[in-house]
Amino acid sequence: MLVTQYFSKDLYKGKTVFVTGGGSGINLGVAKNFAALGANVAICGRTQEMLDAAAAELRAFGTKVSADVRDSAPLEAALEKSRAALGAMDVLVCGAAGNFLVPAEKLSPNGFKTVIDIDLLGSFNATRSAFEQLKETKGTILYISAGMAYMPHAFQVHVGAAKAGIDMMMKNIALEWGRFGIRANSIVPGPIEETEGLKRLSDPAEKKKLINAVPLRRTGTVDDIGQVAAFLAPPLASYITGCVVVCDGGQNLPGSALFNMGAEQMLRAQQG
Ligand code: COA
Ligand code: NAP
C-alpha cells in the first residue's frame, strides 16, 4: 500500500529524490512512494527502455538519466542534470545492484569485482557526487543493503562483501557528515515480491517454504520498503543516523539455512 494512506500527500512537495537503479523493482517502488508524497524524483540506470517505462509511471514527478554508477564522471553529470531540472537533492537512494548465485570457488575475480563495483563503488560514487547538494539541503542518504551484509548466505560471497562494505561506509558517512546535517542509514529488504532479486535467489516452486520461514508469514512488497524510506527521509526520523533498518518480516531471525538449501537446489537445476 502506498504511503499516501498514512502520510500527507504534500509531505515531500518541493523536495528532490535521486534514486540509483530506480528503473525497476524495489528502487522504483521507493521512487514511486516519494513521488506519491509530492517529491520530484530522478532515477538513473543503464537500460534506457526500463528508465523510459519507469519515468512514465512516475509521470510529472519524474526525470530520468542514463548512467552507470561504476563510472563516476557520467554519474556526477547525471546528478548535476537532476539538480538543474529539479533542484538540489534532499534524498539520495543508493539502490543500484547486481546479483547472481555462484559458488565462491567458481566465481572469477572479475565476477567478484563486477558486483563490488556496482554495489559498493557505485554507492560511494553517488554519495561522493551528491555531497554538495546534500550539504545544501541538509539531506539524507538511504542505502539499499541486504541480509547478506551481516549473515553469511551460500553462493553470495560477492554480495556479502559488497553489502557489508555499504553498511560500514554508511556508518562512516553518518559519522563524518553529521556535522553538515546530512544523515545516512541503510534499509535491508527481506524477500520482496515480484523483484529481480527474488527471482534470482529463490525458486518460485518453493514459495510456501519461504513464507513459512518468515515470522510474519508473508513476503514483502516494494511499498513495505517505500514506507521505510519515506519515514527515514527529512523531515521525519530527524535524529536517526548510522542505522541499519531491517525490513524483512523477521526473515533473518531463524538464520540463512533455508536460503542456503534453496540456493543449492537452484544452482543444481541451472547446471542441469
Ligand atoms: N555466475 C558466475 N559469474 C557470473 C555470472 C553468474 N551467474 N554472471 C556474470 N558473471 C561474471 C561474468 O562471467 C564476468 O566475469 P568474467 O569476465 O571473469 O567472465 C563478470 O561476472 C561480469 O559479467 P558481465 O555480464 O560482463 O557483467 P555486466 O556488468 O554486464 O552485468 C551483472 C552485471 C552480471 C551483475 C548482471 O547480472 C546485471 O546486470 N544485473 C543487474 C540486475 C540484478 O542483478 N538485479 C538483482 C539485484 S538484487
Ligand atoms: P532490480 O530491479 O534488478 O534493481 C537493480 C537496479 O539496479 C536495476 O534497475 C538495474 O538497472 C540497476 N543497475 C544495475 N547495475 C547498474 C549500474 N552499473 N549502474 C546503474 N544502475 C544499475 O532488483 P531488485 O531486486 O529490485 O533490487 C533492488 C535493490 O534491493 C538492490 O540493491 C538489491 O540488492 C536490494 N535487495 C533486494 C531484495 C529482493 O528481495 N529483491 C532483497 C534484499 C535486498 P540496469 O540493469 O538497467 O542498469
Side-chain angles (χ1 to χ4, degrees), residues 46 70 97-102 107-108 110-111 114-115 118 196-197 200:
R46 295 167 303 169
R70 292 172 284 193
N99 197 351
F100 45 83
L101 289 172
V102 61
L107 178 61
S108 71
N110 191 43
T114 296
V115 169
I118 301 172
E196 187 61 30
R200 289 180 182 219

Side-chain angles (χ1 to χ4, degrees), residues 19-29 44-51 65-71 75 94-99 114 117-119 122-123 143-148 156 159 163 166 187-201 220 222 225 247 251:
V19 186
T20 72
S24 61
I26 291 174
N27 306 320
L28 177 57
C44 83
R46 295 167 303 169
T47 314
Q48 193 59 50
E49 311 84 69
M50 207 154 76
L51 291 174
V65 269
S66 175
D68 187 323
V69 292
R70 292 172 284 193
D71 300 330
L75 181 63
C94 295
N99 197 351
T114 296
D117 281 357
I118 301 172
D119 293 34
S123 294
Y143 297 96
I144 309 298
S145 184
M148 290 81 187
Q156 291 281 276
V159 176
K163 295 294 194 183
I166 287 178
I187 302 173
V188 174
I192 303 300
E193 280 293 349
E194 293 171 22
T195 60
E196 187 61 30
L198 193 60
K199 199 168 100 190
R200 289 180 182 219
L201 302 182
V222 296
I225 308 303
C247 179
Q251 188 201 27

